[in-house]
Amino acid sequence: MDGREALALAAGGARRALMVKLGVPTAALFMAFLVLLGAFAGIGGGGGAAAAGCGKPGQPADDGASGNGSSGSETGGAGKELRARQVANAKIIDQVAKDGKLPGRATLIALMTALAESQLDNIDYGDRDSLGLFQQRPSSGWGTRDQILDPKYAAHMFFFGGDSGDPPGLDDVPWENLSLNDAAQKVQRSGFADAYGPKETQARSIAKEAGIDLERSGENHPGKSGKSGDTGSDGKPAQDGDKKPAAPQGCGNSGTGTPAKPGEPFHDGAAGWPAKVVNRRSTEDAIKWARAEADSHRSDWYQKCLAFTSIAYGWNSSGTNYAIDHYTDVMPKDMRHDGDRNPPPGALMFWDTGHRAGHVAIYVGDGKIASNDIVTPGEISIVPATEIETKWGAKYLGWSAPYYPNAG
């Protein structure tokens, strides 16, 4: 099912059909194909990258349909007609959960899963033979085509699985003590294991509109309502979106400036990049292009922060799935300036938003950045760089040269 999803992302489409059961060689070939397609902001799962910097990250909504960590929305970009279908399907899913005496938490997990897989829409297509709300495959034992396209049947299979336990349902795995994302992954066995958590905000919004009680208990797994399953480091309940990257060791600074407190202004640092930083567009032209894009008020950039920065520098795509991975995994250490609030104009600035993908923007000078979604969803705006911290509550990681070694 990941093949169809990759094509959708490469075309700027919504995230769908994530569940896969591919062998390693096939998956490797697929990812190579994805890069060639020039996908903007992928859904692939890099390893658990540790975020640099100190303090706690914020939580600016969820990752939305494109999953790149920018400000999300409760609709996920769904129009009126799709939203109506989502609400109707949510009611069916919840009724199946209630009939099975499952708590509201189980419904929440199912809604998050279906949103990631199909946008909670009962589609009759997918990668290979994938179908329906949960993109279940007849060839993998989920049922016949007609059965899977029955939302009630599909939901029952998600919750309770096959009679033999294969494929597994939620009731077949120890989901009570897992995060919402990981509980969904135990059932879906997706090649993109972090795809489900970012859908929590949208799932809760749909549930509210559908009149679904996500906090109800159930005779089956009675103690697990919609709030009580996950706990943070303080022992208090936590939503799946609260998961943070691994805590950094220390608060080092490899830049020329001095780290400052969150919310303090950014100032221009010394210009110039290492010799191996070669882009299709110069720094001056990239900044000029970014400003022109802001002036255009085109709404082409909803949750495409990393795509925006790479295109500003003349590339079709960054070649990296997530903004935070571009900083922590792709960027050479000698180009990462952790916590330095003195970036040169044209630098890439990175934040940990508290969600998988993080955020990146282009520093245009005078303490300002060109960023998507910070003022109007989908649009580029020129704003003080501090607004990512003050508006979204995000944690500033640092800046880097505009280096795209995997760009296409």
Side-chain angles (χ1 to χ4, degrees):
M1 301 176 193
D2 53 330
R4 184 176 62 79
E5 168 58 10
L7 292 172
L9 283 175
R15 177 186 296 173
R16 296 172 181 238
L18 299 173
M19 187 173 64
V20 295
K21 296 175 179 66
L22 296 175
V24 172
T26 304
L29 289 173
F30 165 71
M31 290 308 296
F33 176 61
L34 174 58
V35 172
L36 289 174
L37 281 174
F40 280 174
I43 54 177
C54 295
K56 294 183 178 181
Q59 301 168 41
D62 61 26
D63 288 303
S66 299
N68 89 330
S70 302
S71 174
S73 76
E74 293 186 346
T75 67
K80 184 177 181 180
E81 291 184 359
L82 174 57
R83 180 71 169 202
R85 295 196 300 271
Q86 290 173 332
V87 169
N89 288 327
K91 291 179 179 179
I92 294 172
I93 290 171
D94 185 55
Q95 188 60 54
V96 173
K98 289 193 291 187
D99 289 346
K101 300 181 179 180
L102 292 169
R105 175 181 167 85
T107 295
L108 177 59
I109 293 168
L111 296 182
M112 290 165 60
T113 303
L115 281 166
E117 296 287 359
S118 68
Q119 286 206 80
L120 192 49
D121 200 10
N122 192 31
I123 54 178
D124 62 355
Y125 57 90
D127 178 62
R128 294 174 290 180
D129 57 341
S130 306
L131 298 162
L133 293 170
F134 300 95
Q135 288 292 280
Q136 295 157 334
R137 298 182 59 195
S139 63
S140 296
W142 290 97
T144 67
R145 176 184 176 87
D146 288 343
Q147 286 175 325
I148 292 172
L149 288 174
D150 176 354
K152 185 175 181 179
Y153 173 90
H156 186 276
M157 286 297 290
F158 176 82
F159 288 128
F160 301 105
D163 292 338
S164 65
D166 187 25
L170 189 64
D171 202 46
D172 295 319
V173 298
W175 61 274
E176 298 91 338
N177 296 316
L178 298 175
S179 70
L180 299 169
N181 180 91
D182 292 350
Q185 170 65 1
K186 283 290 186 180
V187 178
Q188 299 298 91
R189 297 179 288 188
S190 170
F192 303 105
D194 297 317
Y196 308 105
K199 297 300 182 182
E200 183 177 356
T201 297
Q202 191 180 353
R204 288 184 178 276
S205 174
I206 290 171
K208 182 177 180 180
E209 187 172 337
I212 295 171
D213 180 11
L214 296 178
E215 314 308 328
R216 72 169 187 275
S217 60
E219 294 179 33
N220 189 357
H221 310 279
K224 297 296 178 181
S225 68
K227 284 185 177 179
S228 64
D230 298 334
T231 57
S233 59
D234 57 359
K236 295 179 180 180
Q239 296 180 356
D240 192 70
D242 295 335
K243 295 174 68 178
K244 312 294 192 300
Q249 299 297 317
C251 233
N253 170 39
S254 57
T256 57
T258 302
K261 295 179 180 179
E264 291 189 4
F266 290 85
H267 302 284
D268 294 2
W273 315 121
K276 63 181 178 181
V277 177
V278 179
N279 293 302
R280 294 176 176 173
R281 192 176 277 146
S282 69
T283 300
E284 181 181 33
D285 286 343
I287 293 174
K288 183 179 179 180
W289 184 90
R291 288 185 177 277
E293 193 63 26
D295 291 339
S296 75
H297 296 288
R298 283 189 289 266
S299 57
D300 297 337
W301 304 104
Y302 182 62
Q303 304 203 340
K304 294 179 180 177
C305 62
L306 186 56
F308 167 71
T309 67
S310 62
I311 291 172
Y313 274 97
W315 302 103
N316 293 324
S317 69
S318 69
T320 308
N321 291 322
Y322 292 119
I324 202 167
D325 290 349
H326 196 78
Y327 186 71
T328 60
D329 296 351
V330 175
M331 197 65 59
K333 290 184 179 180
D334 61 355
M335 290 192 200
R336 293 195 332 231
H337 302 268
D338 300 344
D340 186 349
R341 298 177 83 89
N342 298 276
L348 306 183
M349 299 177 66
F350 295 84
W351 289 265
D352 174 7
T353 62
H355 296 277
R356 174 63 181 89
H359 186 65
V360 61
I362 297 175
Y363 185 67
V364 297
D366 297 324
K368 296 181 179 180
I369 55 172
S371 174
N372 61 312
D373 299 334
I374 187 65
V375 175
T376 303
E379 293 186 13
I380 302 300
S381 300
I382 307 299
V383 299
T386 52
E387 290 199 6
I388 306 298
E389 294 171 314
T390 58
K391 284 193 173 183
W392 288 353
K395 179 181 68 177
Y396 175 59
L397 300 181
W399 65 268
S400 76
Y403 185 52
Y404 300 93
N406 302 323

